[in-house]
Amino acid sequence: MSESINEEQRKILQALLEDPRASYGDIAESTDVPKSTVWYTKKRFEDDGLLQTMAFLQLTELENLKVGLVGGAINGDKENVLENVANHPNVWFLVDTIGPHAFTAGVVGEGVNEFQQVIDDLREFGAEGDHYGEVLNISAFGLDPEFVSGLSVD
């Protein structure tokens, strides 16, 4: 980051990394930074493209949901195949990789049958998955809170 951040901004980022779901009030209380400053800082970082806020389902709380990773080779025009995969309603992320595998996708299905149907759909698109893994537990997401402590401060 070529531009340094001030101490208040660093505290806000640290608090967001520790608890991405924290409210503006919670962050203000834990950092001793005014709530309006927390709101403004977060908005400014989002507007500048420095911070993205994303929402994720607590997948372990949903019954009968099968979540997995699929990866493999592409048969056909890679760009077209990956676009079709990315637009499938049961694909929650897609990575265009390098090396022996051309893609990795996160797949969600209600039960084994729907999960298998999604895999079959991807194969029809030309995404020939040859390795699979079930996601058993997603316990944390985000950067290590120490990441922010290394940012320069004004």
Side-chain angles (χ1 to χ4, degrees):
M1 178 182 261
S2 61
E3 198 176 309
S4 61
I5 61 173
N6 66 34
E7 182 64 20
E8 282 185 338
Q9 292 168 332
R10 188 195 61 75
K11 285 180 181 179
I12 292 165
L13 288 174
Q14 184 82 30
L16 283 168
L17 286 173
E18 289 173 5
D19 183 3
R21 293 178 279 193
S23 69
Y24 297 123
D26 292 341
I27 295 171
E29 187 176 317
S30 70
T31 61
D32 291 325
V33 174
K35 187 175 175 180
S36 60
T37 302
V38 172
W39 178 87
Y40 174 78
T41 299
K42 186 175 178 195
K43 175 148 179 38
R44 189 182 123 218
F45 282 174
E46 287 172 345
D47 290 348
D48 290 348
L50 299 173
L51 178 68
Q52 281 189 332
T53 303
M54 303 175 82
F56 289 87
L57 287 172
Q58 187 64 37
L59 297 173
T60 55
E61 298 296 317
L62 300 176
E63 291 185 32
N64 199 30
L65 188 72
K66 188 166 176 63
V67 180
L69 302 176
V70 179
I74 298 290
N75 182 8
D77 176 45
K78 184 174 184 178
E79 188 174 317
N80 187 45
V81 171
L82 291 180
E83 183 176 338
N84 286 332
V85 171
N87 289 326
H88 192 286
N90 292 67
V91 172
W92 59 292
F93 77 83
L94 174 65
V95 179
D96 180 358
T97 59
I98 56 174
H101 294 100
F103 78 97
T104 299
V107 175
V108 179
E110 187 175 334
V112 175
N113 292 337
E114 183 179 19
F115 186 82
Q116 184 59 53
Q117 182 58 54
V118 175
I119 302 301
D120 293 344
D121 292 347
L122 299 188
R123 287 181 175 148
E124 284 183 28
F125 296 152
E128 298 179 351
D130 60 14
H131 72 274
Y132 307 91
E134 185 172 359
V135 177
L136 298 176
N137 187 18
I138 298 175
S139 59
F141 179 83
L143 298 170
D144 185 320
E146 292 180 18
F147 174 79
V148 174
S149 65
L151 296 175
S152 62
V153 177
D154 283 344

